[in-house]
């Protein structure tokens, strides 16, 4: 006998609105109504960046295109007009931040990598202000390597800050050698007497999945199940826990190490929820109440709700008239991507949860065609691009194209982050996802099974029911940002708010003028400040009577913190063999096309950065002006808000961790002493290093770096790990600099970044003799647009490098369908 089903509601997302009969439960209506309102008021916004390649060298450029989408159907977003992109170093400091103006969800830009950047594992992060409501777990975040590829062997592998979090019923064991072992019962809990799936996930100390095998035994030593991981340390086995018994897993690792781990305890009274998304065109749902629960809760109500990106796809209300219920749900009611099934009790308490990945053949089919498969160096190559969907319908779409020499920049396609793997999978999951593109290349029954193992083991909490149901009227902490603005306050000479004050922004260079008034609290907001990065502007303020005797203060924008990442040793055996071969073949030649020279020592007089002589009168260095390991003039500090962001990558031998300066020399000399930041002296007074970001960059005249023992000796014990000597402007260092008038500020505005154009040579024209074309990115085009016929074309010239060239096209059409295609050809 099955459950008595009172209601089955199947509604197409964004097409049909849920409708209910008179027998519907008010609790189900309230639950679905709450979720629907949340989805309508707070749609999910995501961003994906297509980077031209995964490896870069100092002096190189990271080219990228941003695709910002909204909702589960991934249409280009019109919600946000401003996007932030950040380049973050191994010390989790933002070394470069770009502010981009979104045009219908799109933008393209570039990070210039100065020669001063230390080689290492960086990552690119991107988000909108509105995305901050969901948290940094759901920002775009992609690792990139900067520096010689040959240094990978001594590199580190960055494990995502997202850190896969176990559910309340998963069991986590961290063994003595750093191996992480977790067990995940399907639906969240085991129930005695009920056969359930149990997933296992094993991660080694270097952050990669590792294979194990083992058996499950009860407290009497009887074997209850055997298991073996199937993919990247993940596996699934079945278990029927018996009443009154506990279970352990005896595990053997690939290296022969043995572990014994307790399994999660089974509930004596509980439900299990099993969902199988790999059933052709249907999803199979099975709900089971164990005997004790059925005896005590018979005829009680239950609810099942399925949602994707907060949008309700399926609901059902039932009565517990039989212990087992199974049903098939057509996949037509779910979008491609992650769907969350939640079982609720009659009182509305979430009991069990299961996420599955629904795969439809509804993404774009991209085709690239060229005249031939083999070319010569510097020969012109032309490609025709065509795009259509599963119904062979064409549409207008926007795409980005990157061409690299695969022989010099080898790529593991399974490990790539693509528009498909990011927007359909990783953007909705917490935790580090190993080999994300594996689940989208050469799709088979095996890849689907491995993807389901990922769904069973990876933390998914974009939508937490307690938060949704408990904060129905909570406002957004971060509003969608349509344009840039400047906030500030105006106070009287007695520090009282100036209400009705007149505030004006003027930029003569960009012919801009914006006026506003202060509110009752003296606060003002200058809206729609459409100015480029580092634009110099003047902001003036007067009171309501047009008097200037007021003080004006700008409130600097805030940015999300960068959480400290785990850095683990990247063992050499993890490096793909293809990369190792390239390194051997290119001994002495960096695989990014840069010839490494022997170290050359140049003796000469120290010159200050900024090409300006440091005046002795305006240095507070106790050694005397110019007696420092490095001098950075204030004129070289531009385009930033926080001083630590300005200085990252500019100061030799200094690294910034969470906004604090650390001497790399001290860190290398002693682990313990290296934990203390450098001393910071401002105008001769020693301040706590946390004060650094309180200093306005425009106020700085010079910064002197002291790292050498000879320069630090005069400071005694006050600077054991190096020092930054900061001298601020006083007006005396420039006879033409006048003291700022009351109610008047000159301000460098962090405006929209203007992207540079990728240089592509034209070899139809004569070239200088002995010229060399060592481009690692052979071609980059972020603006390939297909017409209504779904067709477009592009052309470029090959570089000098021979080998296999790799063409990657990614993009999206007007309906939100995603496309990704790779094409290889030879250059001989």
């Amino acid at each position: 006998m099955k459950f008595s089903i009172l209601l089955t509601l199947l509604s197409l997302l964004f097409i049909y609105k849920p409708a209910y009969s008179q027998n519907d439960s008010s609790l189900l209506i309230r639950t679905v109504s709450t979720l629907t309102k949340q989805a309508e008021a707070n749609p999910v916004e995501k961003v994906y960046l297509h980077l031209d390649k995964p490896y870069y060298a100092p002096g190189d450029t990271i080219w990228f295109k941003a695709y910002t989408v909204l909702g589960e159907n991934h249409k280009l977003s019109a919600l946000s007009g401003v996007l932030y992109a950040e380049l973050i170093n191994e010390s989790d400091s933002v070394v470069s931040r770009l502010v981009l103006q979104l045009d219908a969800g799109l933008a393209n830009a570039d990070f210039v990598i100065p020669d001063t950047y230390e080689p290492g594992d960086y990552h690119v992060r991107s988000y909108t202000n509105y995305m901050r409501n969901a948290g940094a777990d759901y920002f775009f975040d992609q690792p990139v390597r900067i520096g010689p590829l040959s240094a990978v062997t001594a590199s580190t592998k960055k494990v995502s800050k997202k850190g896969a979090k176990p559910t309340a019923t998963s069991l986590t064991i961290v063994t003595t050698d750093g191996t992480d072992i977790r067990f995940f019962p399907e639906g969240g809990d085991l129930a005695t007497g009920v056969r359930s799936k149990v997933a296992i996930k094993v991660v080694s100390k270097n952050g990669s999945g590792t294979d194990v095998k083992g058996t499950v035994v009860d407290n009497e030593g009887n074997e209850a199940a055997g298991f073996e991981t199937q993919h990247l340390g993940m596996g699934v086995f079945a278990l029927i826990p018996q009443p009154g018994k506990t279970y352990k897993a005896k595990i053997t690792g690939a290296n022969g190490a043995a572990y014994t781990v307790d399994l999660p305890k089974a509930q004596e009274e509980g439900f299990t929820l099993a969902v199988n998304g790999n059933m052709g065109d249907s999803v199979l749902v099975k709900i089971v109440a164990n005997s004790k629960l059925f005896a005590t809760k018979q005829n009680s109500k239950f609810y099942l709700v399925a949602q994707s990106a907060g949008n309700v796809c399926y609901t059902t209300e039932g009565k517990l008239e039989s212990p087992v219920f199974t049903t098939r749900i057509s996949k037509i009611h779910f979008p491609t991507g992650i769907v969350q099934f939640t079982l609720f009790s009659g009182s509305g308490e979430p009991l069990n949860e299961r996420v599955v990945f629904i795969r439809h053949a509804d993404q774009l089919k991209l085709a690239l065609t060229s005249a031939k498969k083999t070319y010569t160096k510097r020969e012109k190559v032309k490609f025709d691009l065509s795009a259509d969907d599963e119904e062979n319908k064409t549409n207008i779409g926007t795409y980005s194209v990157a061409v690299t020499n695969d022989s010099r920049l080898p790529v593991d396609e399974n490990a790539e982050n693509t528009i498909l793997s990011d927007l359909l999978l990783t953007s909705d999951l917490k935790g580090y996802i190993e080999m994300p593109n594996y689940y989208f290349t050469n799709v088979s029954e095996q890849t689907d099974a491995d993807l389901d193992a990922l769904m069973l083991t990876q933390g998914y909490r974009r939508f937490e029911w307690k938060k949704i149901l408990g904060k129905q009227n909570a406002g957004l902490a971060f509003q969608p940002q349509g344009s840039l603005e400047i906030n500030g306050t105006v106070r009287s000479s007695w520090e009282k708010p100036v209400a009705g004050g007149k505030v004006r922004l003027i930029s003569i260079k960009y012919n801009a003028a914006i006026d506003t008034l202060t509110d009752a609290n003296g606060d003002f907001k200058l809206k729609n400040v459409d100015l480029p990065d580092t634009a110099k502007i003047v902001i003036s303020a007067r009171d309501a009577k047009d008097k200037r005797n007021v003080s004006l203060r700008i409130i600097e924008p805030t940015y999300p913190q960068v959480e400290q990442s785990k850095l683990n040793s990247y063992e050499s055996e993890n490096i793909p063999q293809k990369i190792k071969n390239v390194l051997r073949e290119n001994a002495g030649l960096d695989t990014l096309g840069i010839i490494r020279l022997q170290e050359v020592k140049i003796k000469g007089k120290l010159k200050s950065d900024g090409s300006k002589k440091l005046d002795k009168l305006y240095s507070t260095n106790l050694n005397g002006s110019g007696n420092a390991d490095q001098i950075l003039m204030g004129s070289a500090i531009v385009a930033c808000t926080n001083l630590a962001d300005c200085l990252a990558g500019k100061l030799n031998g200094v690294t910034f961790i969470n906004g604090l300066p650390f001497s790399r020399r001290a860190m290398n000399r002693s682990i313990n002493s290296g934990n203390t930041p450098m001393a910071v002296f401002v105008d001769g007074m020693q301040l706590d290093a946390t004060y650094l970001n309180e200093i306005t960059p425009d106020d700085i005249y010079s910064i002197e770096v002291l790292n050498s023992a000879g320069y630090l000796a005069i400071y005694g014990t006050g600077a054991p790990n190096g020092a930054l000597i900061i001298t601020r402007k006083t007006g005396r260092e420039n006879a033409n600099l006048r003291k700022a008038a009351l109610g008047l500020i000159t301000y460098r505005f962090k405006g929209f970044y203007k992207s540079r154009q990728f240089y592509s040579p034209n070899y139809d024209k004569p070239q200088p003799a002995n010229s060399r074309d060592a481009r690692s990115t052979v071609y980059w085009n972020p603006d390939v647009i297909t017409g209504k016929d779904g067709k477009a074309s592009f052309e470029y010239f090959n570089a000098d490098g021979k080998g296999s060239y790799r063409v990657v096209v990614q993009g999206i059409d007007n309906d939100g369908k995603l496309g990704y295609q790779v094409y290889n050809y030879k250059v001989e």
Side-chain angles (χ1 to χ4, degrees):
M1 185 176 180
K2 296 183 177 180
F3 284 113
S4 174
I5 303 301
L6 301 182
L7 169 69
T8 298
L9 169 65
L10 297 174
S11 59
L12 291 176
L13 299 174
F14 286 114
I15 298 178
Y16 301 107
K17 294 294 183 181
Y20 303 91
S21 67
Q22 293 181 350
N23 293 327
D24 292 337
S25 166
S26 60
L27 178 60
L28 179 61
I29 294 175
R30 289 199 305 271
T31 300
V32 175
S33 176
T34 297
L35 189 58
T36 302
K37 289 179 180 178
Q38 287 281 338
E40 291 176 349
N42 308 314
V44 174
E45 191 172 53
K46 304 177 183 180
V47 61
Y48 169 72
L49 303 189
H50 177 191
L51 278 59
D52 63 315
K53 58 191 176 187
Y55 311 116
Y56 299 87
D60 207 344
T61 299
I62 300 175
W63 303 93
F64 66 89
K65 180 175 181 177
Y67 298 87
T68 310
V69 300
L70 194 68
E72 90 294 340
N73 58 355
H74 301 115
K75 287 195 174 182
L76 289 169
S77 176
L79 182 65
S80 295
V82 181
L83 182 73
Y84 299 91
E86 299 167 340
L87 181 61
I88 302 170
N89 66 13
E90 284 188 343
S91 300
D92 299 310
S93 295
V94 176
V95 296
S96 181
R97 177 181 290 116
L98 307 179
V99 182
L100 308 177
Q101 188 169 28
L102 289 170
D103 182 5
L106 302 171
N108 62 83
D110 53 273
F111 288 109
V112 178
I113 306 173
D115 292 332
T116 55
Y117 278 14
E118 290 289 327
D121 292 312
Y122 291 64
H123 57 113
V124 174
R125 185 174 78 163
S126 186
Y127 55 90
T128 65
N129 192 59
Y130 172 75
M131 287 172 62
R132 296 172 68 179
N133 293 294
D137 283 331
Y138 301 104
F139 292 175
F140 173 86
D141 202 316
Q142 179 171 325
V144 294
R145 174 73 190 174
I146 295 179
L149 187 57
S150 55
V152 170
T153 53
S155 173
T156 55
K157 181 176 181 179
K158 186 176 289 290
V159 177
S160 171
K161 302 158 295 309
K162 299 178 182 179
K165 300 177 181 178
T167 61
T169 51
S170 70
L171 184 66
T172 303
I173 299 294
V174 180
T175 65
T176 54
D177 66 353
T179 302
D180 183 283
I181 303 173
R182 298 180 182 183
F183 288 94
F184 300 83
E186 183 177 21
D189 293 299
L190 292 170
T192 57
V194 179
R195 185 179 188 273
S196 298
K197 282 183 181 178
V198 179
I200 180 175
K201 184 167 187 176
V202 184
V203 180
S204 66
K205 63 181 179 181
N206 69 358
S208 301
T210 184
D211 288 328
V212 300
K213 59 183 178 180
T215 58
V216 175
V217 297
D218 63 21
N219 52 316
E220 297 176 355
N222 301 312
E223 184 174 325
F227 60 86
E228 188 172 354
T229 54
Q230 65 193 46
H231 173 66
L232 298 177
M234 296 178 289
V236 181
F237 61 94
L239 180 67
I240 306 177
Q242 298 302 315
K245 290 191 174 183
T246 58
Y247 296 86
K248 294 179 181 291
K250 294 184 176 181
I251 303 169
T252 303
N255 59 356
Y259 317 105
T260 300
V261 178
D262 292 326
L263 261 65
K265 188 177 180 180
Q267 291 188 339
E268 295 295 329
E269 182 177 330
F271 277 111
T272 63
L273 171 65
V275 184
N276 188 344
N278 297 327
M279 300 292 294
D281 59 359
S282 300
V283 175
L284 178 64
V285 178
K286 184 178 181 180
I287 302 170
V288 180
N290 71 352
S291 57
K292 190 172 182 179
L293 176 66
F294 183 70
T296 58
K297 300 291 186 180
Q298 189 173 4
N299 292 319
S300 62
K301 289 183 179 181
F302 75 94
Y303 310 103
L304 182 68
V305 177
Q307 55 87 12
S308 176
N311 294 279
V312 175
C313 311
Y314 169 87
T315 66
T316 187
E317 176 191 324
K319 187 177 288 187
L320 192 58
E321 293 182 349
S322 177
V324 181
F325 165 67
T326 60
T327 187
R328 285 178 179 267
I329 308 168
S330 174
K331 285 185 179 179
I332 195 173
H333 302 291
F334 305 110
T336 293
I338 295 175
V339 177
Q340 178 180 350
F341 289 80
T342 308
L343 180 66
F344 291 87
S345 69
S347 61
E349 179 187 2
L351 300 174
N352 300 75
E353 190 169 273
R354 169 75 149 98
V355 294
V356 296
F357 189 88
I358 302 298
R359 194 192 299 276
H360 294 292
D362 59 352
Q363 302 307 313
L364 292 174
K365 295 180 291 185
L366 302 183
L368 284 168
T369 57
S370 65
K372 50 187 179 179
K373 292 285 290 187
T374 302
Y375 291 84
T376 59
K377 64 180 185 179
R378 299 197 179 188
E379 184 177 358
K380 180 184 287 187
V381 181
K382 180 178 180 181
F383 276 99
D384 292 319
L385 169 67
S386 64
D388 55 33
D389 60 18
E390 76 282 5
E391 298 176 352
N392 295 320
K393 293 181 180 178
T394 60
N395 205 343
I396 296 173
T398 176
Y399 303 89
S400 43
V401 179
V403 181
T404 57
N405 187 335
D406 195 32
S407 301
R408 288 172 49 195
L409 289 173
V411 174
D412 184 346
E413 190 170 4
N414 287 335
E416 277 190 299
N417 186 27
T418 71
I419 196 169
L420 296 177
S421 65
D422 188 272
L423 294 182
L424 298 179
L425 182 67
T426 59
S427 60
D428 280 325
L429 292 177
K430 287 186 178 182
Y432 169 68
I433 310 299
E434 189 176 1
M435 301 289 177
N437 202 38
Y438 162 79
Y439 307 104
F440 296 90
T441 58
N442 302 317
V443 175
S444 64
E445 290 184 4
Q446 185 61 52
T447 54
D448 282 340
D450 294 338
L451 179 54
D452 196 55
L454 179 69
M455 294 294 98
L456 286 164
T457 58
Q458 200 73 25
Y460 175 86
R461 288 294 180 271
R462 182 181 276 276
F463 294 95
E464 295 186 39
W465 284 101
K466 289 183 180 179
K467 291 183 178 180
I468 292 175
L469 299 179
K471 298 183 179 180
Q472 299 181 28
N473 298 319
L476 291 175
F478 302 98
Q479 295 296 324
Q481 191 176 8
S483 61
L484 294 179
E485 58 188 35
I486 297 176
N487 298 304
T489 62
V490 179
R491 296 287 186 267
S492 69
S493 55
W494 298 278
E495 285 299 311
K496 291 184 177 181
V498 174
K502 304 172 184 178
V503 180
R504 162 165 273 208
L505 177 154
I506 298 176
S507 174
I508 297 175
K509 181 177 180 179
Y510 298 102
N511 193 28
I514 304 175
D515 295 283
T516 192
L517 299 175
T518 60
D519 61 18
N521 298 316
D523 299 331
F524 67 86
K525 188 186 299 289
L526 292 163
K527 299 180 179 180
N528 301 317
V529 185
D530 186 6
L531 293 173
D533 196 10
T534 70
K536 190 173 182 180
I537 60 177
V538 174
I539 301 176
S540 62
R542 300 187 182 191
D543 63 17
K545 296 181 180 180
D546 214 30
K547 294 182 179 179
R548 294 185 177 181
N549 192 26
V550 296
S551 62
L552 176 63
R553 178 172 176 262
I554 303 298
I555 300 175
E556 299 291 354
T558 61
Y559 302 101
Q561 290 186 345
V562 180
E563 298 178 8
Q564 187 170 3
S565 304
K566 298 177 182 178
L567 293 175
N568 297 294
S569 174
Y570 196 143
E571 307 295 343
S572 60
E573 59 264 24
N574 291 91
I575 304 170
Q577 187 61 40
K578 188 175 182 181
I579 295 180
K580 291 183 179 180
N581 294 339
V582 171
L583 298 180
R584 284 195 292 267
E585 293 169 2
N586 293 280
L589 176 65
D590 190 287
T591 53
L592 294 173
I594 296 177
I595 298 177
R596 290 189 233 105
L597 303 176
Q598 297 295 321
E599 180 181 8
V600 177
K601 294 184 178 180
I602 300 176
K603 296 182 179 180
K605 191 174 181 180
L606 176 69
K607 295 184 71 175
S608 62
D609 294 341
S611 299
K612 185 175 181 179
K613 184 179 179 182
L614 187 62
D615 193 319
K616 292 183 180 180
L617 293 176
Y618 308 112
S619 170
T620 54
N621 185 351
L622 296 181
N623 295 288
S625 64
N627 294 309
D629 294 293
Q630 182 190 3
I631 302 169
L632 183 73
M633 299 304 299
S635 58
I637 305 173
V638 294
C640 64
T641 301
N642 294 327
L643 184 57
D645 291 348
C646 292
L647 301 180
K650 289 186 173 68
L651 300 183
N652 300 332
V654 179
T655 187
F656 287 85
I657 302 175
N658 295 325
L660 301 179
F662 288 82
S663 166
R664 283 195 288 271
R665 179 177 297 177
M667 295 173 74
N668 293 334
R669 182 177 66 246
S670 169
I671 295 177
N672 293 328
S673 67
N675 290 332
T676 304
M678 300 175 71
V680 175
F681 294 85
V682 179
D683 295 340
M685 180 182 297
Q686 184 168 3
L687 302 174
D688 190 274
T690 58
Y691 181 80
L692 193 66
N693 282 329
E694 299 297 322
I695 304 172
T696 302
D698 280 349
D699 289 345
I700 294 176
Y701 175 63
S702 69
I703 297 179
E704 295 169 81
V705 180
L706 308 184
N707 261 326
S708 303
Y711 290 140
L712 291 172
I714 196 171
Y715 288 91
T717 59
N721 297 320
L724 298 182
I725 311 300
I726 300 175
T727 303
R728 293 187 297 181
K729 297 174 182 176
T730 64
R732 292 178 298 170
E733 68 275 8
N734 188 336
N736 295 322
L737 181 64
R738 286 189 261 172
K739 188 175 180 179
L742 288 174
L744 189 67
I745 287 180
T746 301
Y747 181 65
R748 285 190 181 273
F749 178 61
K750 182 68 177 176
F752 289 123
Y753 179 75
K754 185 177 181 181
S755 178
R756 298 179 304 144
Q757 186 173 1
F758 180 84
Y759 171 71
S760 187
N762 182 358
Y763 289 128
D764 285 337
K765 298 179 180 179
Q767 300 296 316
N770 300 322
S771 64
R772 183 189 178 198
D773 186 348
R775 284 172 292 157
S776 55
T777 296
V778 178
Y779 180 67
W780 167 253
N781 187 343
D783 294 315
V784 176
I785 309 296
T786 56
K788 293 182 179 179
D789 60 355
K791 297 183 183 301
S793 63
F794 55 91
E795 60 184 27
Y796 58 91
F797 291 88
N798 291 325
D800 284 343
K802 297 180 180 180
S804 175
Y805 278 40
R806 187 171 190 257
V807 184
V808 177
V809 179
Q810 303 190 62
I812 187 170
D813 74 2
N814 283 356
D815 290 332
K817 291 184 172 63
L818 310 175
Y820 168 79
Q821 185 60 264
V822 176
Y823 184 98
N824 291 96
Y825 67 93
K826 291 183 178 180
V827 174
E828 296 180 345

